[in-house]
Amino acid sequence: MSATSPARAGLAGLLAAALLGGCYKVPSPPPTGVSSFEVLVTHVTKAGTQTPVDVVKACVDRHGGIQGNVPEAERGTLACPYVISNTAVDFEVFVTARTAQRDEAGTLKQATDFNSPVALRSVPGDLALSYPYRWLQITEGSGHGVMRSSHLYAEMRVWAEDAPVELLYDGGTVIAGAPAEPEPPAKRSYATGSSRVIYFADPTLQSLQNVAGTTFSTLNSPLEQQFVKVGRAGVMDAGIGTPQDTLRQNCPGDPAHDGKPVQMVVTGLDCCGFFATDITACALPEDNSDANAQFRVAEPNGYYPGRFASLYVYNYSHPDDLNEGDLLWSIAGSVQEFTG
């Protein structure tokens, strides 16, 4: 055993005191620049017009059966979703850049020194192939513009991002017209922000087919090449129109099926998948307005004999534990048209 001398103990104490005296806190510099965006959508209209996008029949019925009677504040909510539109939709957007610093009320301060174009995003949805509808200019921390998008369904949001605007191409060549990027040494932060959820109708098999007018083609379906979910497993005692309710039909021209639960039945099986038919789908009024038709016999009742509410689900293999007559709660996958 060995004992520490008083001199060595004193030296150790001095070293410890010196080490303790060298420890001190270095405050972090306050964060600067934009940290996020506040995105507000004030109007949702049919592209190029001031006409609001239609909402589902159940909501219209609560307001006397007239689309124009539905308050704008109620449109696009869970209880009053927009219909799935065959054409593009305009969103009037106000964007405010926010810093990471808060004021006395706890609100993020506006980034008044932020001056830059920001990219817009539609999730889900496809932006119009025109630069003016794909970005907006932020000046002293705020900006206003119009985003145009299509292929909108279910829950969607408008996003703003401190990022370059996605370029458009024509035959491999960049189309001119994109906003200029900030000059160096300015850098993109890739900060983002989104609007509240804007509700559109949930897709049905009939809306996937979307036989428009006299074309008899599903190539113009607003859900072509989209990943969608059709149907919803509802709770037995859920109220009609609640999030726990089953998916229900929206049939403005067919009162007999309007509001009925979507019922997708397996109608056929083969080696690579199965066929499903929505047996409560809306009856569709016949359209005989095609001026190029040489001869056409109108249906006596004014409705198509079919409802365009069947789908083939390509599963790559024979589906297990599935039989003809089975009732499906939901189907999910990407929509692709093979035959037109």
Side-chain angles (χ1 to χ4, degrees):
M1 295 179 65
S2 61
T4 303
S5 67
R8 294 180 63 187
L11 178 61
L14 288 173
L15 288 173
L19 290 173
L20 288 173
C23 295
Y24 57 92
K25 293 183 178 180
V26 178
S28 300
T32 60
V34 63
S35 67
S36 61
F37 294 99
E38 179 184 336
V39 181
L40 176 65
V41 176
T42 55
H43 300 289
V44 180
T45 58
K46 299 176 182 179
T49 75
Q50 297 299 313
T51 305
V53 175
D54 289 346
V55 295
V56 298
K57 181 178 181 295
C59 181
V60 176
D61 288 345
R62 295 196 296 269
H63 295 277
I66 301 174
Q67 283 281 348
N69 289 350
V70 181
E72 188 163 23
E74 191 175 342
R75 293 174 177 270
T77 61
L78 180 61
C80 189
Y82 294 111
V83 299
I84 296 177
S85 177
N86 294 332
T87 58
V89 173
D90 284 349
F91 298 83
E92 187 174 6
V93 183
F94 289 84
V95 177
T96 303
R98 298 292 182 183
T99 70
Q101 301 176 357
R102 297 182 182 274
D103 58 22
E104 294 179 354
T107 304
L108 293 177
K109 295 181 178 180
Q110 182 171 329
T112 55
D113 58 346
F114 184 78
N115 299 277
S116 178
V118 296
L120 298 174
R121 301 280 187 269
S122 174
V123 183
D126 295 321
L127 296 183
L129 301 179
S130 177
Y131 285 120
Y133 301 108
R134 304 170 72 91
W135 68 281
L136 59 79
Q137 177 67 41
I138 301 293
T139 303
E140 297 182 352
S142 65
H144 166 240
V146 174
M147 183 190 81
R148 181 169 293 175
S149 182
S150 57
H151 299 161
L152 303 164
Y153 57 93
E155 300 178 9
M156 69 84 58
R157 291 176 173 86
V158 177
W159 287 76
E161 183 178 12
D162 180 19
V165 176
E166 185 178 358
L167 297 177
L168 298 174
Y169 293 86
D170 181 10
T173 303
V174 175
I175 299 175
E181 281 297 287
E183 294 292 334
K187 295 181 180 179
R188 290 292 193 175
S189 67
Y190 290 91
T192 61
S194 72
S195 70
R196 67 167 179 84
V197 175
I198 301 172
Y199 291 91
F200 283 76
D202 289 310
T204 62
L205 296 187
Q206 194 173 66
S207 64
L208 295 185
Q209 301 294 349
N210 189 55
V211 176
T214 58
T215 62
F216 296 101
S217 171
T218 60
L219 291 174
N220 294 322
S221 167
L223 302 175
E224 167 71 1
Q225 299 184 3
Q226 305 295 307
F227 188 94
V228 301
K229 179 182 178 181
V230 179
R232 174 165 76 226
V235 178
M236 186 67 67
D237 57 350
I240 295 178
T242 66
Q244 293 77 34
D245 188 24
T246 57
L247 181 61
R248 294 179 178 270
Q249 305 287 359
N250 177 50
C251 305
D254 181 10
H257 292 98
D258 184 56
K260 297 289 186 182
V262 167
Q263 295 183 12
M264 295 179 289
V265 175
V266 177
T267 52
L269 298 158
D270 66 10
C271 64
C272 301
F274 61 93
F275 294 86
T277 297
D278 184 356
I279 61 175
T280 61
C282 311
L284 297 178
E286 186 180 22
D287 184 349
N288 291 313
S289 60
D290 186 2
N292 296 319
Q294 298 297 318
F295 182 76
R296 179 172 289 171
V297 178
E299 293 293 330
N301 64 357
Y303 286 85
Y304 289 120
R307 300 186 187 179
F308 305 97
S310 296
L311 194 75
Y312 178 67
V313 180
Y314 184 57
N315 204 37
Y316 300 100
S317 61
H318 188 280
D320 295 328
D321 301 322
L322 199 65
N323 299 289
E324 292 182 1
D326 283 351
L327 182 65
L328 304 176
W329 284 114
S330 64
I331 298 173
S334 58
V335 179
Q336 297 183 39
E337 176 59 55
F338 285 92
T339 65

